[in-house]
Amino acid sequence: MRHEVAARYAAVGAMAVVLAACGNSPSTPGLSGSPVVMATVSPLTGQYAAYGIPTYEGSLAAAKVINDNGGVLGHQLKVDGIDDVSDPGDAVTAVNKEIALSNPVALVGIDGFAIKALQPIFDGHGIVGSFLGGSTAYDVITDPLLYRCNPSDSELSIAQAVAANQKGYKTAIAMNTEVNADQVGYLQKAWQAVGGSYLGSILLLNGQTSYRSEVQKAINYHPDVIFLSLDPTSASVLFANFQQADNLAIPFIGTDALGQPAFIKAVGPTVAQSHMTSVQGSNAQTPSYNAFATAYQSVNGHAPLTNSSYAFDCTVVFALAIDLAGSSDPSKWVGDITKVTTNESAKECIDYASCYSLLKSGKAIDYEGVSGPMDFDKNHNVHGPWDVVQATGNADDGTMVLKTITAAQIQQVIQNLGG
């Protein structure tokens, strides 16, 4: 699940914890001096830990790959995992402590809970920050120290619309909770851009014991499909109400949240399989996925979690920018982020080892990530492919990929919208 998804729900306050990554991967022979430190910032404990752990683990996998290939400027890359526990106040306390103790050169994967609170801090200290969240408020980034390493929720909405169009649906409504109501406008425009008829929107309040009136309103629209975005607890009630009202006759296409185990468990694996698909950031089709999965398994002891590839790519990109600049000083390498990612005339490379080798030989590179092309636009945003997924119906609450919507298909809709 994208890291912004957690931020759509209420924040949970608790004590912030800093977890050091050096104990999770072996030291690399031949590396000398103090390590180069990066830190991830996401919920590692508490209600939304499942959304933050992929960020930390993805960066750990990147550090292993980087250190196995000589490190950064001859130094080991160390990743510290900062637990913001979904609370911006705790995030500020923990990041200030991290800066004082470890002097990180970058904060990787700051989530939607913490980004606004932390931006003045990393700007003030001259540290590079990366946002892993979908908020459309960051579709235009003017901060020279801030980059977003995953596609925006505006593209998530486009992916939903394309998926529905490919299924042959003609009419649609949206049902969203209030915390992500800003997506509705993007979804409506995207659906109309692919030729669909948008019938209306229904706002849902989180945590209600009944949504019978909202369900009846949805049925009365007679849509071919319902675009859905809400939390698992509310979903269990909503789906039960639809079951009672029309036996779940209208299919749903949801955001990445709807493909997560917690959501599938809430509505039931069989129901999810029969009545719902969702879209999520894709990495299964990229040439570098197998090597990423091997490193991830080695470090974390299990297969890659959804969206962990974004943090992996972000960490690799930052390391390559440091390599190119010949300095770990953020003021000197931040300008090289686009030089290693967004250079169509340069040699494409898909992993740290080959990219680093090209840099050492004096050649320009264009890193193609596990999560997709890491081509940052003028607003410091990237654009990538999306998987359409469906629950397997099994007790493990897993999903299977039905198809992949390419970055080019997303860009075509953006062009149709005049973007």
Side-chain angles (χ1 to χ4, degrees), residues 243-334:
Q243 179 81 56
Q244 296 164 357
D246 72 344
N247 200 29
L248 291 164
I250 307 168
F252 300 94
I253 295 181
T255 62
D256 45 8
L258 276 69
Q260 294 303 303
F263 195 102
I264 295 170
K265 183 176 181 179
V267 303
T270 302
V271 169
Q273 180 188 38
S274 301
H275 302 282
M276 180 180 73
T277 56
S278 62
V279 294
Q280 63 185 31
S282 173
N283 58 26
Q285 305 299 313
T286 59
S288 53
Y289 180 78
N290 287 339
F292 157 69
T294 298
Y296 193 101
Q297 178 77 41
S298 175
V299 173
N300 300 302
H302 55 85
L305 298 176
T306 300
N307 298 319
S308 58
S309 60
Y310 293 131
F312 178 92
D313 283 335
C314 224
T315 306
V316 169
V317 165
F318 288 175
L320 289 171
I322 293 171
D323 290 330
L324 178 59
S327 172
S328 60
D329 181 346
S331 68
K332 295 181 179 179
W333 63 264
V334 66

Side-chain angles (χ1 to χ4, degrees), residues 132-327:
L132 287 188
S135 173
T136 56
Y138 291 88
D139 283 4
V140 176
I141 297 175
T142 58
D143 184 343
L145 289 172
L146 179 60
Y147 284 76
R148 174 156 57 180
C149 294
N150 66 276
S152 165
D153 273 352
S154 57
E155 294 196 15
L156 173 64
S157 297
I158 291 172
Q160 286 179 272
V162 172
N165 176 260
Q166 291 178 345
K167 288 285 289 185
Y169 301 135
K170 303 298 183 183
T171 62
I173 65 169
M175 302 185 78
N176 293 66
T177 50
E178 69 276 13
V179 290
N180 48 37
D182 63 329
Q183 285 181 260
V184 173
Y186 288 93
L187 186 55
Q188 178 178 352
K189 292 177 182 178
W191 181 232
Q192 291 170 337
V194 298
S197 176
Y198 192 82
L199 304 179
S201 307
I202 299 174
L203 185 66
L204 302 169
L205 298 178
N206 278 327
Q208 301 299 297
T209 57
S210 173
Y211 294 105
R212 281 190 290 270
S213 62
E214 292 89 345
V215 165
Q216 191 56 55
K217 184 178 179 180
I219 294 171
N220 291 343
Y221 275 117
H222 302 290
D224 294 334
V225 65
I226 296 174
F227 295 121
L228 190 62
S229 180
L230 76 169
D231 61 285
T233 301
S234 301
S236 64
V237 178
L238 183 76
F239 273 65
N241 292 158
F242 267 110
Q243 179 81 56
Q244 296 164 357
D246 72 344
N247 200 29
L248 291 164
I250 307 168
F252 300 94
I253 295 181
T255 62
D256 45 8
L258 276 69
Q260 294 303 303
F263 195 102
I264 295 170
K265 183 176 181 179
V267 303
T270 302
V271 169
Q273 180 188 38
S274 301
H275 302 282
M276 180 180 73
T277 56
S278 62
V279 294
Q280 63 185 31
S282 173
N283 58 26
Q285 305 299 313
T286 59
S288 53
Y289 180 78
N290 287 339
F292 157 69
T294 298
Y296 193 101
Q297 178 77 41
S298 175
V299 173
N300 300 302
H302 55 85
L305 298 176
T306 300
N307 298 319
S308 58
S309 60
Y310 293 131
F312 178 92
D313 283 335
C314 224
T315 306
V316 169
V317 165
F318 288 175
L320 289 171
I322 293 171
D323 290 330
L324 178 59
S327 172

Side-chain angles (χ1 to χ4, degrees), residues 37-181:
V37 178
M38 298 185 192
T40 63
V41 185
S42 63
L44 301 177
T45 60
Q47 185 176 359
Y48 302 114
Y51 306 146
I53 289 173
T55 298
Y56 178 50
E57 292 189 347
S59 258
L60 287 182
K64 173 175 174 50
V65 169
I66 292 164
N67 291 335
D68 284 351
N69 288 279
V72 182
L73 301 179
H75 296 261
Q76 184 176 25
L77 175 63
K78 178 175 177 285
V79 174
D80 288 342
I82 297 178
D83 185 2
D84 68 18
V85 205
S86 317
D87 184 273
D90 286 339
V92 167
T93 299
V95 167
N96 279 330
K97 180 179 179 181
E98 171 73 6
I99 291 171
L101 294 177
S102 301
N103 192 30
V105 299
L107 301 179
V108 178
I110 304 171
D111 68 6
F113 293 110
I115 183 63
K116 288 183 179 179
L118 294 182
Q119 191 169 359
I121 295 176
F122 64 73
D123 279 343
H125 286 274
I127 300 170
V128 175
S130 78
F131 174 44
L132 287 188
S135 173
T136 56
Y138 291 88
D139 283 4
V140 176
I141 297 175
T142 58
D143 184 343
L145 289 172
L146 179 60
Y147 284 76
R148 174 156 57 180
C149 294
N150 66 276
S152 165
D153 273 352
S154 57
E155 294 196 15
L156 173 64
S157 297
I158 291 172
Q160 286 179 272
V162 172
N165 176 260
Q166 291 178 345
K167 288 285 289 185
Y169 301 135
K170 303 298 183 183
T171 62
I173 65 169
M175 302 185 78
N176 293 66
T177 50
E178 69 276 13
V179 290
N180 48 37

Side-chain angles (χ1 to χ4, degrees), residues 342-355:
T342 317
N343 187 348
E344 296 304 319
S345 63
K347 177 71 173 179
E348 285 190 2
C349 50
I350 64 171
D351 56 64
Y352 180 79
S354 61
C355 290

